[in-house]
Amino acid sequence: MELSSGVPDDIDVTRPSAARVYDYFLGGAHNFEVDRQLAAQIASLTPNLAQTMRANRSFLRRAVRYLVAEGIEQFLDLGSGIPTVGNVHEVAQDANPQARVVYVDVDPVAVAQSRAILDGNKRTGVIHADVREPDRIVAEAVDLGLIDLSRPLAVLLAGVLHFIPDADDPTGITARLRSVTAPGSFLLVSHATQDGQPPEVLAAQRLSARTDTEIHLRSHDRILEYFGDFTLVEPGLVFLTRWRPEQVGDFDEHPEQVGAYGGVARK
Ligand SMILES: C[S@@+](CC[C@H](N)C(=O)[O-])C[C@H]1O[C@@H](n2cnc3c(N)ncnc32)[C@H](O)[C@@H]1O
């Protein structure tokens, strides 16, 4: 299926985008032929990848339900992607209809599709911005009237920090985001890793350099740095399927095959 509506004119359909490749792996319809070709190449090198992406989205859903149960009513979702299966606002508002969600993505297709899907939902907003501009993002989220910095906030960085090279200071970005939040706030991070991975994964990582968003695999210790002085909730920073699993699933025997860590920490 091709993209149907809400696609801006300035989209380069000859160059794959990480958001659309991810959408394809999740079974969504918001992708072009060029994205599907790259997805097929990546999948041939890392057959687990589609499951890994589903594991990431599944981790995000479990964590959002946990955060709502902890009393969180506002979410800032950075690198939110194309709202395909199980969006943050659906999960959060299902548990608490008052929950507010601001989605942020750098990809114009993700932003256009998010706006189309969220039209009419007054407790959600969409910002077209780069994670590397944390101050602008926070200011716009407050201006939208959806985020109140005097109250606990959940900052979600699911599957996005591995697109930020060290040169752009992902540690500084997360520190800035943590610093603006009130006590009782949370930070969620999921991030691809080279830990326990076979050499093919590195070849797939090189293929990602063909998108505007090359993937930077990082170790457990490096990813831990993003939580700063926040306290990780149980079970800590773990392979995605090990974070409060609700059912038996893929990678139970070899959780490292998921190739990504996830964790949630409290201020
Ligand atoms: C793998 S998807 C993750 C989607 C969603 N957060 C999830 O975990 O299911 C990564 C998203 O991050 C976005 N992204 C990549 N680099 C970004 C940046 N520098 N600023 C904002 N978004 C970015 C991509 O466009 C894509 O939509």
Side-chain angles (χ1 to χ4, degrees):
M1 256 172 103
E2 281 297 340
L3 287 159
S4 48
S5 62
V7 182
D9 297 337
D10 58 348
I11 290 184
D12 181 358
V13 298
T14 64
R15 201 171 153 76
S17 106
R20 298 192 310 255
V21 169
Y22 182 64
D23 173 71
Y24 173 76
F25 277 118
L26 286 178
H30 309 297
N31 46 75
F32 296 115
E33 182 58 30
V34 68
D35 306 307
R36 296 190 283 273
Q37 281 172 4
L38 180 60
Q41 272 179 290
I42 295 175
S44 69
L45 289 166
T46 53
N48 290 339
L49 201 64
Q51 286 158 292
T52 296
M53 292 186 177
R54 285 196 293 271
N56 180 58
R57 188 61 80 124
S58 177
F59 158 74
L60 181 59
R61 282 196 294 262
R62 294 195 303 279
V64 169
R65 279 197 290 272
Y66 164 82
L67 292 164
V68 174
E70 290 295 303
I72 292 293
E73 293 197 320
Q74 41 179 7
F75 294 82
L76 184 58
D77 185 1
L78 301 142
S80 46
I82 294 170
T84 21
V85 194
N87 302 308
V88 168
H89 76 281
E90 286 170 346
V91 177
Q93 292 177 349
D94 191 43
N96 176 0
Q98 301 304 316
R100 302 180 305 282
V101 181
V102 176
Y103 289 112
V104 181
D105 207 284
V106 76
D107 184 296
V109 171
V111 169
Q113 295 293 333
S114 302
R115 290 203 169 118
I117 287 170
L118 299 170
D119 193 30
N121 189 325
K122 292 192 167 35
R123 293 198 171 82
T124 61
V126 185
I127 297 174
H128 186 196
D130 194 304
V131 166
R132 283 166 274 219
E133 313 166 275
D135 290 330
R136 191 196 124 198
I137 290 169
V138 170
E140 282 195 33
V142 170
D143 281 352
L144 286 172
L146 292 168
I147 299 294
D148 174 357
L149 292 177
S150 70
R151 313 232 342 119
L153 164 71
V155 176
L156 312 179
L157 288 161
V160 65
L161 284 177
H162 47 230
F163 294 117
I164 308 297
D166 288 348
D168 290 343
D169 193 18
T171 305
I173 292 167
T174 48
R176 184 71 195 129
L177 288 166
R178 290 194 317 271
S179 73
V180 300
T181 61
S185 294
F186 287 86
L187 174 68
L188 172 151
V189 174
S190 66
H191 195 299
T193 184
Q194 71 273 43
D195 294 355
Q197 302 309 302
E200 307 89 83
V201 168
L202 299 175
Q205 184 257 335
R206 283 194 293 277
L207 268 183
S208 78
R210 282 211 229 153
T211 67
D212 286 329
T213 41
E214 183 179 356
I215 290 190
H216 304 271
L217 304 175
R218 295 192 173 99
S219 67
H220 189 268
D221 281 356
R222 280 296 316 279
I223 300 166
L224 267 185
E225 286 173 18
Y226 299 138
F227 295 99
D229 59 358
F230 281 25
T231 307
L232 278 160
V233 304
E234 288 296 324
L237 180 66
V238 292
F239 287 113
L240 294 175
T241 53
R242 284 283 160 99
W243 199 91
R244 299 174 185 247
E246 289 167 359
Q247 57 195 32
V248 178
D250 302 329
F251 308 117
D252 283 344
E253 295 283 314
H254 292 285
E256 75 286 354
Q257 286 183 7
V258 76
Y261 290 114
V264 175
R266 186 196 312 257
K267 185 165 184 169

